[in-house]
Amino acid sequence: MTQFGAPSNRSLQPAGAVPAVSGIGRRVASMPQTVLRYRGLIRAIVVKDLAGRYSGSLLGPLWLVIPPVFMIFIYTVVFSRLMGARLPGINDAFGYSIYLCAGLLVWTPFLEAMQRAKSVFVDHANLIKKSAFPRPVLFVPVVLVAAVNFAILALAFFGFLLLTRGWPGTAALVWVPACAALATLLGLAVGAVLATLNVFFRDVGQVADLASQLLFWATPIVYPVSILPPRVLDVISLSPMFPLVRVSQQAALGLGTVDLQSLVAPLVATGVIAILAGWLFARARTDLLDRL
């Protein structure tokens, strides 16, 4: 096994851009083989994460199912029934609940992947110090846990659609998970950038949490875009999360054809941020052990 993160007295050393990028390409190409080789470590981290949340509780794994079902129930009762919230142009008693849940289905895996990824080196500091393995392997459990949580939430959501509107439709079944998957990768890429920075500057985690709250309210999840002034809409539409949330909501509500071109921007943003994350890690990996 290759020893990553050997001690050094230098922090964030300068490195050539071309060698760093070519090294990133080699690591990406070898990632499937690396995942297969360290599948035991990945499985252990995933199981520990999922089981550790509810160890000692009476309901155990049922707590994986209860929160998403309860969330949909609350949104339906509070917004659709008690508050009578309606979407402009949508004559459906459950339209706002569907709109809200479809947005959260994309936002939740993004936020979870980013929050878990940004602290992955700090959380596994002891493992990194005691074992020799490729550090990017630690990001794989982040994606798997987010996927498990999304699958449970999606099952509850599609069950809700089936009960209230009948068959959800092919567009909802395809594009809601697709947007959530891309949002997860985007969150992972952002979190990977923050993970390296967080080792050297521990305030990064707190700043990222504040920024994520700002991004949430700058994304049309709890409000329709029709209420926004044109200038505000032009600004928030620059966010890569904006088209992902919008496509998910439109697909869930069955509002016309999905605009595939709108997904190009978040796809490109994910790739660029992932390259930046790999470049930062390549520059700082020799000093990670010293700072953990």
Side-chain angles (χ1 to χ4, degrees):
M1 291 182 289
T2 304
Q3 177 68 49
F4 284 70
S8 171
N9 293 324
R10 295 170 294 175
S11 298
L12 294 172
Q13 308 173 56
V18 173
V21 172
S22 62
I24 294 170
R26 287 194 298 270
R27 285 195 292 273
V28 170
S30 64
M31 198 61 189
Q33 182 179 359
T34 302
V35 170
L36 184 63
R37 182 177 182 182
Y38 294 96
R39 61 188 181 277
L41 173 63
I42 294 170
R43 185 188 306 114
I45 295 175
V46 171
V47 171
K48 180 181 178 181
D49 189 297
L50 293 175
R53 297 184 189 182
Y54 313 110
S55 60
S57 64
L58 294 176
L59 297 180
L62 283 177
W63 283 113
L64 289 170
V65 181
I66 293 173
V69 173
F70 186 71
M71 181 193 75
I72 292 175
F73 173 76
I74 289 296
Y75 288 152
T76 301
V77 171
V78 173
F79 290 107
S80 297
R81 295 303 184 186
L82 298 182
M83 296 178 60
R86 296 291 185 271
L87 282 176
I90 303 294
N91 188 21
D92 187 333
F94 298 103
Y96 182 75
S97 295
I98 295 171
Y99 178 90
L100 182 60
C101 291
L104 288 173
L105 269 171
V106 174
W107 174 262
T108 301
F110 164 79
L111 183 63
E112 180 176 5
M114 187 198 72
Q115 288 184 329
R116 291 182 177 277
K118 71 180 172 62
S119 60
V120 74
F121 294 140
V122 176
D123 291 345
H124 296 91
N126 290 333
L127 181 63
I128 292 173
K129 292 177 181 179
K130 296 178 181 178
S131 305
F133 63 92
R135 305 308 185 225
V137 166
L138 294 173
F139 293 103
V140 178
V142 172
V143 176
L144 295 179
V145 171
V148 170
N149 292 332
F150 168 78
I152 296 170
L153 184 58
L155 285 174
F157 175 67
F158 288 126
F160 168 68
L161 287 183
L162 192 62
L163 291 174
T164 58
R165 307 184 84 191
W167 178 249
T170 303
L173 292 174
V174 171
W175 292 112
V176 172
C179 291
L182 187 50
T184 302
L185 295 178
L186 177 61
L188 182 71
V190 173
V193 171
L194 299 175
T196 300
L197 296 176
N198 197 34
V199 172
F200 298 92
F201 313 103
R202 296 301 170 92
D203 291 335
V204 167
Q206 285 71 28
V207 173
D209 290 340
L210 294 176
S212 65
Q213 294 182 37
L214 178 62
L215 181 60
F216 175 82
W217 290 107
T219 306
I221 297 174
V222 300
Y223 55 85
V225 293
S226 59
I227 69 171
L228 299 174
R231 290 184 180 179
V232 175
L233 182 58
D234 289 341
V235 172
I236 68 171
S237 62
L238 297 175
S239 166
M241 284 299 295
F242 181 89
L244 294 176
V245 168
R246 292 292 294 147
V247 167
S248 176
Q249 291 167 335
Q250 291 170 353
L253 289 167
L255 300 178
T257 305
V258 172
D259 182 11
L260 295 180
Q261 290 185 345
S262 66
L263 299 180
V264 173
L267 186 61
V268 171
T270 300
V272 171
I273 297 172
I275 292 174
L276 175 61
W279 178 73
L280 281 175
F281 176 77
R283 293 187 64 182
R285 63 181 180 180
T286 55
D287 295 295
L288 284 176
L289 279 178
D290 289 342
R291 297 303 186 98
L292 286 174

